[in-house]
Amino acid sequence: MFDLARSRASEREQLRIADLMSLTPPGDRVLEIGARDCYLSRRLSDLYREVVALDLQRPVVDHPGIVPVQGDVTDLRFGDGTFDTVFCTEVLEHVPPEKLVRACDEIERTTSRYAVIGVPYRQDLRADRTLCRRCGTVNPATGHLNRFDRRRLEALFPRMRVVEARLTGQGRAVTNPLSVWLFRLCGYPYGSYDQEEGCIRCGAPLERPKIGPGRWALCFVARTLNRMQFYLYGRRRPIWIHLLFEKCDSAAPAAPVASSRPHSVR
């Protein structure tokens, strides 16, 4: 079973969070989209007077300056420019592709100045697929429906400019056509079944299928190929891309950003 507290405490997750916090400029009001347990909302409360913590289900939190609300990134119930910053990380990869442009438009509309965006970087969506035993849907790992790089993110936020872009973390599951074919043949028994997300189609919890010796042998070949690919290439791949956007029509001087590490990211 997925353990969010354990995931938060991992070295990789702490690296991601530290990078996001150092990228985020201070201000008065911030909207965090996808707040979940409000772990990051608490961190943001050190930078903002008021943090609005939004998720599909209203977060449960009792912390000064944090206002929990129920909402959807594709239909934000706030006026134009309500927040100094909109903070949206580990969310856009889950948005159905047909709603992605709408979600990004809502982020642009509700911020008066900045948007902090964090998503997986050039993720191989074929890796770690799962199979729903209820409806038969093949799911991408952790329900990720979209693949991003800097160019695509800039296209999704046409009325904003990139102040800073960072690539963070090392290593991400990679795969190849032969491994994908073998895993499909065996029913995807080695996918990310310990994830928090259910089936992208019916919402059912995902259960790892049991396999016999023949399928195990085929999967052993597929996993060996993936390991070889990872050691040759995957360890050098960043996991996330983090971008600080600013509205193009913003006239105020830029706020300082701590631990700035500018570099070219595509």
Side-chain angles (χ1 to χ4, degrees), residues 130-173:
T130 59
L131 181 66
C132 178
R133 298 176 67 178
R134 176 188 289 180
C135 70
T137 296
V138 176
N139 287 256
T142 58
H144 291 183
L145 303 174
N146 302 296
R147 186 173 186 266
F148 297 99
D149 57 15
R150 173 169 174 168
R151 187 170 299 171
R152 188 179 188 199
L153 288 168
E154 287 185 297
L156 287 166
F157 294 93
R159 292 172 292 280
M160 305 191 82
R161 66 180 184 89
V162 175
V163 176
E164 188 168 354
R166 299 179 183 174
L167 295 177
T168 304
Q170 287 185 324
R172 169 61 75 181

mmCIF file of all heavy atoms in Angstrom, residues 130-173:
data_model
loop_
_atom_site.group_PDB
_atom_site.id
_atom_site.type_symbol
_atom_site.label_atom_id
_atom_site.label_comp_id
_atom_site.label_asym_id
_atom_site.label_seq_id
_atom_site.Cartn_x
_atom_site.Cartn_y
_atom_site.Cartn_z
ATOM 1 N N THR A 130 0.496 -0.582 -15.528
ATOM 2 C CA THR A 130 -0.285 -1.521 -14.731
ATOM 3 C C THR A 130 -1.534 -1.920 -15.515
ATOM 4 O O THR A 130 -1.937 -1.225 -16.460
ATOM 5 C CB THR A 130 -0.706 -0.897 -13.390
ATOM 6 O OG1 THR A 130 -1.479 0.288 -13.654
ATOM 7 C CG2 THR A 130 0.498 -0.531 -12.549
ATOM 8 N N LEU A 131 -2.161 -3.011 -15.092
ATOM 9 C CA LEU A 131 -3.374 -3.502 -15.732
ATOM 10 C C LEU A 131 -4.480 -3.591 -14.695
ATOM 11 O O LEU A 131 -4.315 -4.234 -13.652
ATOM 12 C CB LEU A 131 -3.132 -4.874 -16.354
ATOM 13 C CG LEU A 131 -4.329 -5.512 -17.088
ATOM 14 C CD1 LEU A 131 -4.685 -4.695 -18.330
ATOM 15 C CD2 LEU A 131 -4.012 -6.959 -17.462
ATOM 16 N N CYS A 132 -5.597 -2.942 -14.965
ATOM 17 C CA CYS A 132 -6.737 -2.979 -14.051
ATOM 18 C C CYS A 132 -7.464 -4.317 -14.202
ATOM 19 O O CYS A 132 -7.929 -4.656 -15.293
ATOM 20 C CB CYS A 132 -7.694 -1.830 -14.341
ATOM 21 S SG CYS A 132 -9.170 -1.829 -13.283
ATOM 22 N N ARG A 133 -7.600 -5.043 -13.115
ATOM 23 C CA ARG A 133 -8.256 -6.349 -13.160
ATOM 24 C C ARG A 133 -9.762 -6.231 -13.257
ATOM 25 O O ARG A 133 -10.449 -7.188 -13.610
ATOM 26 C CB ARG A 133 -7.840 -7.160 -11.930
ATOM 27 C CG ARG A 133 -6.338 -7.428 -11.882
ATOM 28 C CD ARG A 133 -5.909 -8.131 -10.626
ATOM 29 N NE ARG A 133 -6.426 -9.500 -10.561
ATOM 30 C CZ ARG A 133 -6.150 -10.347 -9.558
ATOM 31 N NH1 ARG A 133 -5.372 -9.947 -8.561
ATOM 32 N NH2 ARG A 133 -6.646 -11.562 -9.557
ATOM 33 N N ARG A 134 -10.300 -5.042 -12.947
ATOM 34 C CA ARG A 134 -11.753 -4.871 -13.024
ATOM 35 C C ARG A 134 -12.214 -4.570 -14.446
ATOM 36 O O ARG A 134 -13.120 -5.220 -14.960
ATOM 37 C CB ARG A 134 -12.211 -3.740 -12.098
ATOM 38 C CG ARG A 134 -13.712 -3.453 -12.221
ATOM 39 C CD ARG A 134 -14.136 -2.218 -11.454
ATOM 40 N NE ARG A 134 -14.093 -2.445 -10.016
ATOM 41 C CZ ARG A 134 -14.414 -1.511 -9.122
ATOM 42 N NH1 ARG A 134 -14.767 -0.291 -9.539
ATOM 43 N NH2 ARG A 134 -14.361 -1.774 -7.833
ATOM 44 N N CYS A 135 -11.570 -3.577 -15.101
ATOM 45 C CA CYS A 135 -12.059 -3.157 -16.418
ATOM 46 C C CYS A 135 -11.093 -3.460 -17.554
ATOM 47 O O CYS A 135 -11.427 -3.235 -18.728
ATOM 48 C CB CYS A 135 -12.410 -1.667 -16.410
ATOM 49 S SG CYS A 135 -10.966 -0.573 -16.283
ATOM 50 N N GLY A 136 -9.897 -3.946 -17.243
ATOM 51 C CA GLY A 136 -8.939 -4.302 -18.278
ATOM 52 C C GLY A 136 -8.151 -3.156 -18.867
ATOM 53 O O GLY A 136 -7.421 -3.337 -19.843
ATOM 54 N N THR A 137 -8.251 -1.959 -18.291
ATOM 55 C CA THR A 137 -7.539 -0.796 -18.816
ATOM 56 C C THR A 137 -6.044 -0.878 -18.474
ATOM 57 O O THR A 137 -5.679 -1.198 -17.343
ATOM 58 C CB THR A 137 -8.117 0.495 -18.224
ATOM 59 O OG1 THR A 137 -9.475 0.630 -18.644
ATOM 60 C CG2 THR A 137 -7.336 1.718 -18.698
ATOM 61 N N VAL A 138 -5.221 -0.595 -19.471
ATOM 62 C CA VAL A 138 -3.786 -0.482 -19.237
ATOM 63 C C VAL A 138 -3.500 0.931 -18.760
ATOM 64 O O VAL A 138 -3.829 1.908 -19.440
ATOM 65 C CB VAL A 138 -2.985 -0.793 -20.516
ATOM 66 C CG1 VAL A 138 -1.494 -0.573 -20.278
ATOM 67 C CG2 VAL A 138 -3.253 -2.225 -20.972
ATOM 68 N N ASN A 139 -2.893 1.049 -17.576
ATOM 69 C CA ASN A 139 -2.645 2.344 -16.952
ATOM 70 C C ASN A 139 -1.179 2.731 -17.034
ATOM 71 O O ASN A 139 -0.295 1.883 -16.825
ATOM 72 C CB ASN A 139 -3.017 2.286 -15.463
ATOM 73 C CG ASN A 139 -4.503 2.251 -15.221
ATOM 74 O OD1 ASN A 139 -5.101 3.241 -14.831
ATOM 75 N ND2 ASN A 139 -5.125 1.095 -15.434
ATOM 76 N N PRO A 140 -0.883 4.004 -17.296
ATOM 77 C CA PRO A 140 0.504 4.473 -17.164
ATOM 78 C C PRO A 140 0.881 4.521 -15.693
ATOM 79 O O PRO A 140 0.005 4.590 -14.822
ATOM 80 C CB PRO A 140 0.460 5.873 -17.787
ATOM 81 C CG PRO A 140 -0.942 6.322 -17.566
ATOM 82 C CD PRO A 140 -1.798 5.084 -17.674
ATOM 83 N N ALA A 141 2.167 4.479 -15.394
ATOM 84 C CA ALA A 141 2.626 4.506 -14.005
ATOM 85 C C ALA A 141 2.083 5.718 -13.271
ATOM 86 O O ALA A 141 2.114 6.843 -13.791
ATOM 87 C CB ALA A 141 4.149 4.504 -13.956
ATOM 88 N N THR A 142 1.576 5.496 -12.064
ATOM 89 C CA THR A 142 1.034 6.526 -11.171
ATOM 90 C C THR A 142 0.015 7.439 -11.860
ATOM 91 O O THR A 142 -0.146 8.601 -11.491
ATOM 92 C CB THR A 142 2.159 7.362 -10.513
ATOM 93 O OG1 THR A 142 2.960 7.962 -11.537
ATOM 94 C CG2 THR A 142 3.047 6.493 -9.646
ATOM 95 N N GLY A 143 -0.670 6.910 -12.865
ATOM 96 C CA GLY A 143 -1.730 7.667 -13.517
ATOM 97 C C GLY A 143 -1.279 8.883 -14.289
ATOM 98 O O GLY A 143 -2.069 9.811 -14.519
ATOM 99 N N HIS A 144 -0.022 8.892 -14.744
ATOM 100 C CA HIS A 144 0.481 10.042 -15.493
ATOM 101 C C HIS A 144 0.023 9.957 -16.950
ATOM 102 O O HIS A 144 0.329 8.995 -17.650
ATOM 103 C CB HIS A 144 2.005 10.108 -15.430
ATOM 104 C CG HIS A 144 2.513 10.450 -14.071
ATOM 105 N ND1 HIS A 144 3.854 10.623 -13.797
ATOM 106 C CD2 HIS A 144 1.860 10.668 -12.897
ATOM 107 C CE1 HIS A 144 4.004 10.925 -12.510
ATOM 108 N NE2 HIS A 144 2.815 10.955 -11.952
ATOM 109 N N LEU A 145 -0.685 10.995 -17.386
ATOM 110 C CA LEU A 145 -1.302 11.001 -18.714
ATOM 111 C C LEU A 145 -0.585 11.907 -19.706
ATOM 112 O O LEU A 145 -0.887 11.843 -20.904
ATOM 113 C CB LEU A 145 -2.765 11.452 -18.592
ATOM 114 C CG LEU A 145 -3.638 10.628 -17.643
ATOM 115 C CD1 LEU A 145 -5.011 11.274 -17.519
ATOM 116 C CD2 LEU A 145 -3.760 9.193 -18.112
ATOM 117 N N ASN A 146 0.323 12.748 -19.218
ATOM 118 C CA ASN A 146 0.972 13.730 -20.087
ATOM 119 C C ASN A 146 2.484 13.698 -19.889
ATOM 120 O O ASN A 146 2.980 13.417 -18.802
ATOM 121 C CB ASN A 146 0.460 15.145 -19.758
ATOM 122 C CG ASN A 146 -1.042 15.256 -19.903
ATOM 123 O OD1 ASN A 146 -1.575 15.109 -20.996
ATOM 124 N ND2 ASN A 146 -1.745 15.486 -18.798
ATOM 125 N N ARG A 147 3.195 14.017 -20.959
ATOM 126 C CA ARG A 147 4.657 14.059 -20.946
ATOM 127 C C ARG A 147 5.098 15.496 -21.220
ATOM 128 O O ARG A 147 4.561 16.150 -22.115
ATOM 129 C CB ARG A 147 5.207 13.118 -22.016
ATOM 130 C CG ARG A 147 6.715 12.952 -22.030
ATOM 131 C CD ARG A 147 7.097 11.860 -23.031
ATOM 132 N NE ARG A 147 8.528 11.548 -22.990
ATOM 133 C CZ ARG A 147 9.430 12.089 -23.783
ATOM 134 N NH1 ARG A 147 9.068 12.997 -24.705
ATOM 135 N NH2 ARG A 147 10.698 11.748 -23.692
ATOM 136 N N PHE A 148 6.088 15.979 -20.459
ATOM 137 C CA PHE A 148 6.457 17.383 -20.540
ATOM 138 C C PHE A 148 7.955 17.587 -20.727
ATOM 139 O O PHE A 148 8.775 16.815 -20.244
ATOM 140 C CB PHE A 148 6.059 18.113 -19.246
ATOM 141 C CG PHE A 148 4.587 18.139 -18.975
ATOM 142 C CD1 PHE A 148 4.023 17.234 -18.085
ATOM 143 C CD2 PHE A 148 3.761 19.055 -19.599
ATOM 144 C CE1 PHE A 148 2.663 17.253 -17.823
ATOM 145 C CE2 PHE A 148 2.400 19.083 -19.353
ATOM 146 C CZ PHE A 148 1.851 18.171 -18.456
ATOM 147 N N ASP A 149 8.278 18.666 -21.420
ATOM 148 C CA ASP A 149 9.600 19.265 -21.388
ATOM 149 C C ASP A 149 9.378 20.783 -21.350
ATOM 150 O O ASP A 149 8.232 21.249 -21.308
ATOM 151 C CB ASP A 149 10.468 18.834 -22.572
ATOM 152 C CG ASP A 149 9.835 19.161 -23.923
ATOM 153 O OD1 ASP A 149 8.875 19.967 -23.970
ATOM 154 O OD2 ASP A 149 10.304 18.616 -24.933
ATOM 155 N N ARG A 150 10.456 21.544 -21.352
ATOM 156 C CA ARG A 150 10.296 22.998 -21.221
ATOM 157 C C ARG A 150 9.505 23.584 -22.387
ATOM 158 O O ARG A 150 8.642 24.447 -22.195
ATOM 159 C CB ARG A 150 11.671 23.669 -21.125
ATOM 160 C CG ARG A 150 11.578 25.179 -21.167
ATOM 161 C CD ARG A 150 12.862 25.870 -20.821
ATOM 162 N NE ARG A 150 12.747 27.304 -21.020
ATOM 163 C CZ ARG A 150 13.634 28.188 -20.593
ATOM 164 N NH1 ARG A 150 14.721 27.780 -19.949
ATOM 165 N NH2 ARG A 150 13.467 29.477 -20.817
ATOM 166 N N ARG A 151 9.786 23.114 -23.583
ATOM 167 C CA ARG A 151 9.117 23.670 -24.754
ATOM 168 C C ARG A 151 7.600 23.511 -24.674
ATOM 169 O O ARG A 151 6.844 24.431 -24.967
ATOM 170 C CB ARG A 151 9.661 22.988 -26.007
ATOM 171 C CG ARG A 151 9.175 23.595 -27.317
ATOM 172 C CD ARG A 151 9.958 23.014 -28.476
ATOM 173 N NE ARG A 151 11.380 23.307 -28.354
ATOM 174 C CZ ARG A 151 12.314 22.782 -29.136
ATOM 175 N NH1 ARG A 151 11.989 21.941 -30.091
ATOM 176 N NH2 ARG A 151 13.582 23.110 -28.965
ATOM 177 N N ARG A 152 7.162 22.332 -24.240
ATOM 178 C CA ARG A 152 5.721 22.123 -24.151
ATOM 179 C C ARG A 152 5.099 22.976 -23.052
ATOM 180 O O ARG A 152 4.014 23.530 -23.230
ATOM 181 C CB ARG A 152 5.407 20.647 -23.887
ATOM 182 C CG ARG A 152 3.906 20.380 -23.978
ATOM 183 C CD ARG A 152 3.505 18.963 -23.763
ATOM 184 N NE ARG A 152 2.088 18.801 -24.069
ATOM 185 C CZ ARG A 152 1.356 17.795 -23.645
ATOM 186 N NH1 ARG A 152 1.888 16.823 -22.915
ATOM 187 N NH2 ARG A 152 0.061 17.727 -23.954
ATOM 188 N N LEU A 153 5.776 23.114 -21.929
ATOM 189 C CA LEU A 153 5.247 23.933 -20.844
ATOM 190 C C LEU A 153 5.139 25.398 -21.250
ATOM 191 O O LEU A 153 4.153 26.074 -20.929
ATOM 192 C CB LEU A 153 6.119 23.778 -19.603
ATOM 193 C CG LEU A 153 5.994 22.438 -18.877
ATOM 194 C CD1 LEU A 153 7.101 22.285 -17.847
ATOM 195 C CD2 LEU A 153 4.626 22.280 -18.229
ATOM 196 N N GLU A 154 6.136 25.903 -21.939
ATOM 197 C CA GLU A 154 6.062 27.288 -22.409
ATOM 198 C C GLU A 154 4.888 27.482 -23.361
ATOM 199 O O GLU A 154 4.224 28.527 -23.334
ATOM 200 C CB GLU A 154 7.368 27.677 -23.086
ATOM 201 C CG GLU A 154 8.513 27.887 -22.115
ATOM 202 C CD GLU A 154 9.765 28.396 -22.809
ATOM 203 O OE1 GLU A 154 10.304 27.672 -23.661
ATOM 204 O OE2 GLU A 154 10.187 29.532 -22.499
ATOM 205 N N ALA A 155 4.612 26.496 -24.196
ATOM 206 C CA ALA A 155 3.479 26.592 -25.119
ATOM 207 C C ALA A 155 2.146 26.579 -24.375
ATOM 208 O O ALA A 155 1.173 27.188 -24.826
ATOM 209 C CB ALA A 155 3.533 25.442 -26.123
ATOM 210 N N LEU A 156 2.105 25.902 -23.231
ATOM 211 C CA LEU A 156 0.875 25.828 -22.446
ATOM 212 C C LEU A 156 0.608 27.101 -21.643
ATOM 213 O O LEU A 156 -0.514 27.321 -21.187
ATOM 214 C CB LEU A 156 0.931 24.631 -21.496
ATOM 215 C CG LEU A 156 0.767 23.253 -22.148
ATOM 216 C CD1 LEU A 156 1.184 22.153 -21.184
ATOM 217 C CD2 LEU A 156 -0.670 23.051 -22.625
ATOM 218 N N PHE A 157 1.636 27.930 -21.465
ATOM 219 C CA PHE A 157 1.489 29.191 -20.730
ATOM 220 C C PHE A 157 1.951 30.346 -21.625
ATOM 221 O O PHE A 157 2.964 31.006 -21.344
ATOM 222 C CB PHE A 157 2.297 29.143 -19.427
ATOM 223 C CG PHE A 157 1.796 28.149 -18.431
ATOM 224 C CD1 PHE A 157 2.317 26.856 -18.394
ATOM 225 C CD2 PHE A 157 0.790 28.485 -17.540
ATOM 226 C CE1 PHE A 157 1.861 25.921 -17.477
ATOM 227 C CE2 PHE A 157 0.320 27.559 -16.621
ATOM 228 C CZ PHE A 157 0.849 26.273 -16.592
ATOM 229 N N PRO A 158 1.215 30.632 -22.692
ATOM 230 C CA PRO A 158 1.688 31.595 -23.698
ATOM 231 C C PRO A 158 1.733 33.033 -23.212
ATOM 232 O O PRO A 158 2.440 33.856 -23.802
ATOM 233 C CB PRO A 158 0.673 31.431 -24.831
ATOM 234 C CG PRO A 158 -0.569 30.922 -24.169
ATOM 235 C CD PRO A 158 -0.077 30.025 -23.069
ATOM 236 N N ARG A 159 1.001 33.363 -22.163
ATOM 237 C CA ARG A 159 0.981 34.738 -21.666
ATOM 238 C C ARG A 159 1.916 34.927 -20.469
ATOM 239 O O ARG A 159 1.800 35.908 -19.739
ATOM 240 C CB ARG A 159 -0.453 35.135 -21.295
ATOM 241 C CG ARG A 159 -1.369 35.249 -22.518
ATOM 242 C CD ARG A 159 -2.813 35.450 -22.164
ATOM 243 N NE ARG A 159 -3.390 34.276 -21.531
ATOM 244 C CZ ARG A 159 -3.822 33.199 -22.187
ATOM 245 N NH1 ARG A 159 -3.711 33.147 -23.499
ATOM 246 N NH2 ARG A 159 -4.355 32.165 -21.545
ATOM 247 N N MET A 160 2.820 33.972 -20.279
ATOM 248 C CA MET A 160 3.792 34.074 -19.202
ATOM 249 C C MET A 160 5.189 33.817 -19.763
ATOM 250 O O MET A 160 5.347 33.188 -20.803
ATOM 251 C CB MET A 160 3.473 33.076 -18.082
ATOM 252 C CG MET A 160 2.057 33.192 -17.527
ATOM 253 S SD MET A 160 1.791 32.227 -16.014
ATOM 254 C CE MET A 160 2.470 33.347 -14.773
ATOM 255 N N ARG A 161 6.188 34.331 -19.056
ATOM 256 C CA ARG A 161 7.579 34.105 -19.459
ATOM 257 C C ARG A 161 8.295 33.313 -18.368
ATOM 258 O O ARG A 161 7.938 33.408 -17.180
ATOM 259 C CB ARG A 161 8.301 35.435 -19.691
ATOM 260 C CG ARG A 161 8.483 36.280 -18.446
ATOM 261 C CD ARG A 161 9.208 37.585 -18.735
ATOM 262 N NE ARG A 161 9.447 38.348 -17.512
ATOM 263 C CZ ARG A 161 10.528 38.210 -16.742
ATOM 264 N NH1 ARG A 161 11.475 37.335 -17.086
ATOM 265 N NH2 ARG A 161 10.675 38.926 -15.650
ATOM 266 N N VAL A 162 9.289 32.552 -18.751
ATOM 267 C CA VAL A 162 10.053 31.760 -17.798
ATOM 268 C C VAL A 162 11.103 32.645 -17.124
ATOM 269 O O VAL A 162 11.955 33.229 -17.793
ATOM 270 C CB VAL A 162 10.734 30.554 -18.484
ATOM 271 C CG1 VAL A 162 11.624 29.817 -17.497
ATOM 272 C CG2 VAL A 162 9.684 29.617 -19.064
ATOM 273 N N VAL A 163 11.035 32.755 -15.814
ATOM 274 C CA VAL A 163 12.050 33.468 -15.033
ATOM 275 C C VAL A 163 13.220 32.536 -14.740
ATOM 276 O O VAL A 163 14.382 32.935 -14.823
ATOM 277 C CB VAL A 163 11.451 33.998 -13.712
ATOM 278 C CG1 VAL A 163 12.529 34.657 -12.853
ATOM 279 C CG2 VAL A 163 10.309 34.963 -13.995
ATOM 280 N N GLU A 164 12.900 31.299 -14.401
ATOM 281 C CA GLU A 164 13.946 30.319 -14.106
ATOM 282 C C GLU A 164 13.422 28.918 -14.375
ATOM 283 O O GLU A 164 12.241 28.625 -14.146
ATOM 284 C CB GLU A 164 14.400 30.434 -12.651
ATOM 285 C CG GLU A 164 15.617 29.573 -12.345
ATOM 286 C CD GLU A 164 16.255 29.875 -11.003
ATOM 287 O OE1 GLU A 164 15.824 30.839 -10.347
ATOM 288 O OE2 GLU A 164 17.185 29.138 -10.633
ATOM 289 N N ALA A 165 14.302 28.064 -14.872
ATOM 290 C CA ALA A 165 13.978 26.665 -15.149
ATOM 291 C C ALA A 165 15.042 25.779 -14.556
ATOM 292 O O ALA A 165 16.239 26.076 -14.665
ATOM 293 C CB ALA A 165 13.863 26.427 -16.657
ATOM 294 N N ARG A 166 14.630 24.693 -13.924
ATOM 295 C CA ARG A 166 15.571 23.773 -13.290
ATOM 296 C C ARG A 166 15.200 22.329 -13.600
ATOM 297 O O ARG A 166 14.017 21.981 -13.676
ATOM 298 C CB ARG A 166 15.568 23.962 -11.771
ATOM 299 C CG ARG A 166 15.986 25.331 -11.300
ATOM 300 C CD ARG A 166 15.914 25.392 -9.788
ATOM 301 N NE ARG A 166 16.243 26.721 -9.289
ATOM 302 C CZ ARG A 166 16.143 27.064 -8.010
ATOM 303 N NH1 ARG A 166 15.730 26.161 -7.124
ATOM 304 N NH2 ARG A 166 16.458 28.274 -7.620
ATOM 305 N N LEU A 167 16.219 21.519 -13.741
ATOM 306 C CA LEU A 167 16.053 20.074 -13.810
ATOM 307 C C LEU A 167 16.560 19.504 -12.496
ATOM 308 O O LEU A 167 17.646 19.844 -12.037
ATOM 309 C CB LEU A 167 16.841 19.493 -14.979
ATOM 310 C CG LEU A 167 16.383 19.928 -16.371
ATOM 311 C CD1 LEU A 167 17.289 19.336 -17.435
ATOM 312 C CD2 LEU A 167 14.936 19.529 -16.616
ATOM 313 N N THR A 168 15.766 18.613 -11.895
ATOM 314 C CA THR A 168 16.049 18.140 -10.543
ATOM 315 C C THR A 168 15.956 16.623 -10.464
ATOM 316 O O THR A 168 15.109 16.016 -11.119
ATOM 317 C CB THR A 168 15.051 18.767 -9.547
ATOM 318 O OG1 THR A 168 15.111 20.183 -9.648
ATOM 319 C CG2 THR A 168 15.349 18.353 -8.122
ATOM 320 N N GLY A 169 16.804 16.035 -9.629
ATOM 321 C CA GLY A 169 16.774 14.598 -9.397
ATOM 322 C C GLY A 169 17.547 13.835 -10.463
ATOM 323 O O GLY A 169 17.925 14.381 -11.497
ATOM 324 N N GLN A 170 17.757 12.568 -10.205
ATOM 325 C CA GLN A 170 18.447 11.703 -11.148
ATOM 326 C C GLN A 170 17.748 10.353 -11.211
ATOM 327 O O GLN A 170 17.389 9.790 -10.188
ATOM 328 C CB GLN A 170 19.903 11.485 -10.740
ATOM 329 C CG GLN A 170 20.798 12.685 -10.954
ATOM 330 C CD GLN A 170 22.242 12.354 -10.647
ATOM 331 O OE1 GLN A 170 22.530 11.592 -9.742
ATOM 332 N NE2 GLN A 170 23.153 12.922 -11.410
ATOM 333 N N GLY A 171 17.590 9.865 -12.441
ATOM 334 C CA GLY A 171 17.037 8.525 -12.619
ATOM 335 C C GLY A 171 15.532 8.528 -12.756
ATOM 336 O O GLY A 171 14.820 9.222 -12.045
ATOM 337 N N ARG A 172 15.052 7.774 -13.659
ATOM 338 C CA ARG A 172 13.621 7.568 -13.867
ATOM 339 C C ARG A 172 13.477 6.264 -14.635
ATOM 340 O O ARG A 172 14.322 5.929 -15.437
ATOM 341 C CB ARG A 172 13.010 8.747 -14.650
ATOM 342 C CG ARG A 172 11.595 8.534 -15.150
ATOM 343 C CD ARG A 172 10.626 8.295 -14.024
ATOM 344 N NE ARG A 172 10.292 9.492 -13.281
ATOM 345 C CZ ARG A 172 9.471 9.505 -12.237
ATOM 346 N NH1 ARG A 172 8.942 8.403 -11.822
ATOM 347 N NH2 ARG A 172 9.217 10.624 -11.618
ATOM 348 N N ALA A 173 12.426 5.550 -14.366
ATOM 349 C CA ALA A 173 12.206 4.278 -15.054
ATOM 350 C C ALA A 173 12.217 4.489 -16.569
ATOM 351 O O ALA A 173 11.581 5.406 -17.080
ATOM 352 C CB ALA A 173 10.877 3.672 -14.607
#
